[in-house]
């Protein structure tokens, strides 16, 4: 299977109905097929700065590790994770010498579409989802205290929605000791979509509703608008950001035709 020239995508962010500022950032880099969402931590000194910097600068780190000739390597996802680690190391050094960044913090989720695979790396509770055949699958695991409690069976998913620890992160860009992102490769099929979201979206709009919106809005821009509107209708308690990527994986019809001809 091969990919066409590149995925179709859109992104959108909104301040929400309660926050005074928007501390979310998102970025798309078509030349690298790289997509990023970052959610600045509201209780940090300048979450907006931390989020904006990781979206602006992470692509440079990714380019150091991932080249066109190694995107298919088994280690490609680990290389994306390594790029994120190196960015976090440099950000901590910067924060130690610049008052604007001291104490600033953010989550980040980054996806790179490489042929018929998606490379995913993240820190925190911004998420990546795979939408396939009208079904939504979360492909990142939240780095949060409440997720650890859910995994340990200490609280139910329903209880977690109201738990006072639900916003406490266990991994983030500015953490010490150094941040260790999760990184993985996901095999893609024709028709697959990827959704990147801050918790202002997935924290207030449930998975069945997210899936319904992705299914009923074939254009990524329209899907993003509908996703943001759903979060606002649910109260918009936080900044909300969505990036929708149509991965554009196609069957190599030329190769199939050659195979058929050879079999005659």
């Amino acid at each position: 299977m091969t990919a066409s020239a590149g995925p179709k995508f859109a992104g959108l962010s909104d301040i929400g109905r309660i926050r005074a500022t928007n501390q979310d950032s998102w970025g798309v880099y078509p030349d690298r097929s790289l997509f990023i969402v970052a959610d600045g931590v509201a209780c940090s000194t300048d979450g907006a700065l931390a989020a904006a910097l990781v979206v602006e600068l992470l692509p440079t780190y990714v380019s150091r590790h991932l080249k066109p000739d190694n995107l298919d390597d088994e280690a490609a996802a680990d290389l994306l994770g390594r790029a994120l680690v190196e960015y976090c190391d440099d950000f901590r050094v910067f924060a130690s010498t610049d008052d604007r960044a001291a104490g600033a913090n953010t989550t980040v989720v980054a996806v790179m579409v490489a042929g018929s695979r998606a490379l995913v790396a993240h820190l925190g509770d911004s998420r990546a989802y795979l939408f396939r055949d009208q079904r939504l699958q979360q492909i990142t695991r939240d780095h949060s205290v409440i997720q650890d409690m859910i995994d340990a069976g200490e609280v139910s998913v329903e209880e977690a929605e109201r738990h006072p620890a639900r916003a406490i992160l266990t991994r983030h860009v500015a953490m010490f000791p150094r941040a260790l992102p999760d990184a993985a490769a996901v095999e893609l099929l024709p028709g697959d979509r990827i959704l990147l979201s801050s918790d202002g979206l997935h924290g207030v709009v449930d998975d069945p509703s997210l899936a319904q919106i992705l299914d009923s809005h074939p254009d990524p821009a329209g899907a993003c608008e509908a996703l943001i509107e759903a979060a606002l209708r649910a109260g918009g308690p936080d900044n909300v950001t969505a990036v929708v990527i149509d991965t554009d994986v196609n069957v190599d019809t030329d190769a199939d035709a050659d195979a058929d001809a050879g079999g005659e």
Side-chain angles (χ1 to χ4, degrees), residues 17-134:
R17 300 198 184 279
I18 294 176
R19 302 291 192 190
T21 60
N22 191 348
Q23 299 197 50
D24 286 0
S25 285
W26 63 275
V28 296
Y29 300 87
D31 59 325
R32 302 175 179 88
S33 290
L34 176 65
F35 308 86
I36 306 171
V37 165
D39 179 359
V41 178
C43 63
S44 68
T45 57
D46 195 337
L49 174 65
L53 286 176
V54 70
V55 168
E56 176 185 354
L57 300 178
L58 182 59
T60 299
Y61 290 78
V62 171
S63 294
R64 293 175 186 170
H65 290 277
L66 286 162
K67 311 292 185 184
D69 61 353
N70 69 354
L71 292 178
D72 292 331
D73 290 357
E74 289 298 318
D78 292 335
L79 292 174
L80 180 60
R82 188 179 305 172
L84 182 51
V85 168
E86 290 187 2
Y87 170 82
C88 294
D89 288 346
D90 287 352
F91 178 80
R92 287 198 310 276
V93 173
F94 169 64
S96 70
T97 61
D98 191 300
D99 291 341
R100 297 172 301 164
N105 199 8
T106 186
T107 71
V108 61
V109 57
V111 167
M112 193 171 190
V113 178
S116 59
R117 293 193 304 167
L119 312 176
V120 186
H122 82 290
L123 290 164
D125 60 0
S126 293
R127 292 180 181 175
Y129 291 89
L130 177 67
F131 182 67
R132 173 184 293 167
D133 296 331
Q134 300 179 306

Side-chain angles (χ1 to χ4, degrees), residues 167-257:
I168 302 175
L169 300 177
T170 56
R171 300 191 215 178
H172 46 77
V173 164
M175 69 184 294
F176 185 84
R178 73 186 332 196
L180 295 176
D182 286 334
V186 178
E187 296 299 321
L188 300 173
L189 296 176
D192 282 353
R193 284 187 134 175
I194 293 172
L195 167 66
L196 306 184
S197 68
S198 65
D199 67 341
L201 176 59
H202 59 255
V204 297
V205 182
D206 61 26
D207 284 6
S209 298
L210 294 176
Q212 190 277 327
I213 292 169
L214 291 170
D215 187 47
S216 59
H217 292 79
D219 179 64
C224 286
E225 291 174 1
L227 290 164
I228 299 298
E229 181 58 32
L232 296 178
R233 285 199 307 270
D238 198 355
N239 309 146
V240 52
T241 299
V243 173
V244 173
I245 309 147
D246 288 343
T247 58
D248 203 19
V249 175
N250 296 308
V251 174
D252 190 340
T253 54
D254 291 340
D256 291 343

